[in-house]
Amino acid sequence: MLGVGSAAQAMINSLKNNSRVKNRTRYFDKKRLNSKLGNSRKNILLDKKASPELLEEIKTQMIAENRKAKIKNWIITLLSITFTILIIIFIYTKYIDDLRKFIG
């Protein structure tokens, strides 16, 4: 009897805690926040437009950053593959005699 009551109480506590989380996150709902703000400073900042020159400059910067990131990733990948192959070759040459004795 005692175990059943504690399991039921644990379930009730869990349901209470879940409802508390919903009440807390409700205040951070974007729709509610936007309706409170209306045409505030946040919405005014989002209405600004960028000049075509600035957009082109941002685009070229992003292309350059992406190119550098790709090169870095390729170098890391190639070094990892090379290092793995070297470890396999080292293990193979060091322990080939032991493997032959074990197999044959």
Side-chain angles (χ1 to χ4, degrees):
M1 284 295 228
L2 199 62
V4 174
S6 63
Q9 186 62 40
M11 181 180 64
I12 292 169
N13 288 339
S14 177
L15 291 172
K16 283 182 184 177
N17 290 336
N18 288 342
S19 67
R20 287 180 189 152
V21 171
K22 288 178 187 174
N23 288 338
R24 287 182 191 149
T25 57
R26 181 182 61 178
Y27 293 108
F28 298 105
D29 188 15
K30 288 185 178 182
K31 290 180 182 178
R32 182 181 170 131
L33 186 63
N34 286 338
S35 67
K36 274 185 168 180
L37 293 176
N39 288 331
S40 70
R41 182 174 49 142
K42 180 180 178 184
N43 291 336
I44 292 170
L45 290 176
L46 294 177
D47 290 339
K48 290 188 177 182
K49 305 282 185 203
S51 66
E53 296 85 16
L54 180 62
L55 289 176
E56 189 64 34
E57 181 181 338
I58 292 171
K59 182 179 176 182
T60 56
Q61 286 177 355
M62 292 301 294
I63 290 172
E65 288 176 9
N66 287 339
R67 186 177 298 134
K68 287 179 185 179
K70 284 181 184 179
I71 290 171
K72 182 179 176 183
N73 288 339
W74 273 105
I75 290 172
I76 290 172
T77 303
L78 290 175
L79 287 176
S80 299
I81 291 171
T82 305
F83 187 69
T84 304
I85 290 172
L86 289 175
I87 289 175
I88 291 171
I89 290 172
F90 174 75
I91 291 173
Y92 182 76
T93 57
K94 185 160 179 80
Y95 297 107
I96 189 69
D97 292 331
D98 294 335
L99 288 173
R100 285 185 184 152
K101 289 177 187 175
F102 181 72
I103 292 173

